[in-house]
Amino acid sequence: RAPGSRHAGNMAQKTVAQRLYILSSFYSYAVRRGHLDEANPITLLKIAKVKDYEHTPSLDPEEAAARLKKIDRTSEAGMQAYCLLAIAIYTGRRVEEIRTLTRGNINLKTDGRIRLDFPDTKRDKHMEDVLTKKLSVDLLMWLNRFYNDEFLFMPDDTPVWVNVYHESRRGQQLGYHALSDTCYKHLGVRGFHATRGTFAEGMRKLKADLLTIQERLGHASVETTQGYLKALAREENPHAVELAELFGLE
């Protein structure tokens, strides 16, 4: 890692492989264009093969619910953290879709619920999620608290998730590190992607059909969703209880 990096330890194999593939692509381009006389040097390296979603992070739904309940919502930071994580887990949307939510993505329905519009998804497909009444109220309480009851009258590019930690950057849209830090502080897992995995785990436990999970996650293919769910279920043995009883471990 670079000196002064905020991350400790070795990089994940998937990260190393991705970066080597990027370098390999660059060298291949240079060779084709005649800028490099030698062969692609990356081909001499052994790049570890990493299965998609091999390390998909997630929380058990019951644990996620308990951790959300423990968040102190009396402060600005706590109120925002609760709404941010609850909405991410409830919708299963990608980190960029959650991070860049603005006033223009918030639509208040006649029954008091909020509809979130996600036009900039990975597949460039419009997605919508309607929040529960309770979560809608919680979100409006947060937004009205920070924006002094003016949020619904603000410009469309007004951010939903803002910096409340540093006065010099107060009100600026949260970045990736802030989302990751919030996830680790309150859910105990690193990487905001864990909220997406937790959503998928909840849908799996509710026995939602595969096509529904695929649609809500925004996956381009059922095979991708199957691999995602398989990674989540890897540690579960469907016969664990019976096996424990068989060996007298209960």
Side-chain angles (χ1 to χ4, degrees):
R1 293 185 186 277
S5 172
R6 59 185 288 155
H7 300 289
N10 297 325
M11 286 189 294
Q13 284 190 341
K14 187 172 184 179
T15 301
V16 173
Q18 287 175 337
R19 294 182 181 183
L20 287 176
Y21 281 127
I22 292 171
L23 286 173
S24 180
S25 177
F26 167 77
Y27 280 116
S28 295
Y29 174 80
V31 170
R32 289 198 305 270
R33 300 291 294 181
H35 300 306
L36 187 67
D37 295 331
E38 300 176 1
N40 182 348
I42 304 299
T43 59
L44 302 176
L45 302 176
K46 184 177 181 180
I47 302 177
K49 292 184 178 180
V50 182
K51 296 180 180 179
D52 288 338
Y53 307 113
E54 184 176 10
H55 302 292
T56 301
S58 69
L59 283 177
D60 182 83
E62 289 76 14
E63 181 182 355
R67 286 181 174 270
L68 286 174
K69 191 175 181 179
K70 288 182 179 179
I71 297 177
D72 179 9
R73 287 179 266 169
T74 60
S75 67
E76 279 188 340
M79 185 178 286
Q80 174 174 239
Y82 174 83
C83 292
L84 170 65
L85 295 172
I87 288 173
I89 289 173
Y90 180 72
T91 64
R93 302 267 59 87
R94 294 182 175 90
V95 58
E96 181 67 2
E97 296 166 355
I98 293 292
R99 189 187 72 83
T100 57
L101 279 174
T102 64
R103 170 64 186 90
N105 303 122
I106 305 289
N107 291 278
L108 189 60
K109 295 169 63 69
T110 56
D111 62 2
R113 293 182 299 163
I114 287 177
R115 187 187 77 231
L116 300 178
D117 293 329
F118 299 97
D120 299 322
T121 62
K122 192 174 181 180
R123 289 189 297 160
D124 195 25
K125 179 181 178 182
H126 183 87
M127 297 288 291
E128 298 177 351
D129 282 284
V130 178
L131 305 181
T132 65
K133 283 190 176 182
K134 180 183 181 303
L135 194 47
S136 297
V137 169
D138 289 336
L139 179 58
L140 283 177
M141 285 180 62
W142 150 244
L143 293 170
N144 286 331
R145 174 171 178 172
F146 185 82
Y147 290 105
N148 299 314
D149 296 323
E150 295 292 328
F151 179 78
L152 294 178
F153 308 101
M154 303 288 281
D156 282 353
D157 61 352
T158 303
V160 171
W161 316 119
V162 295
N163 193 312
V164 296
Y165 311 103
H166 306 285
E167 195 60 36
S168 62
R169 297 195 294 274
R170 183 175 173 80
Q172 294 181 10
Q173 191 171 63
L174 286 183
Y176 289 104
H177 287 312
L179 265 66
S180 181
D181 290 345
T182 299
C183 188
Y184 181 64
K185 178 180 179 179
H186 296 290
L187 298 183
V189 287
R190 296 192 181 279
F192 199 79
H193 192 74
T195 59
R196 188 164 160 86
T198 302
F199 164 84
E201 176 68 1
M203 292 288 279
R204 185 180 71 85
K205 287 201 168 185
L206 290 173
K207 302 188 186 305
D209 65 86
L210 187 60
L211 291 179
T212 297
I213 300 176
Q214 175 199 352
E215 179 64 25
R216 299 320 305 167
L217 287 174
H219 286 159
S221 69
V222 171
E223 289 75 17
T224 300
T225 307
Q226 286 176 322
Y228 200 91
L229 296 177
K230 184 177 180 180
L232 290 173
R234 186 181 295 116
E235 67 179 24
E236 282 194 11
N237 180 350
H239 302 288
V241 174
E242 293 85 350
L243 193 65
E245 291 177 348
L246 180 64
F247 291 110
L249 302 176
E250 272 291 282

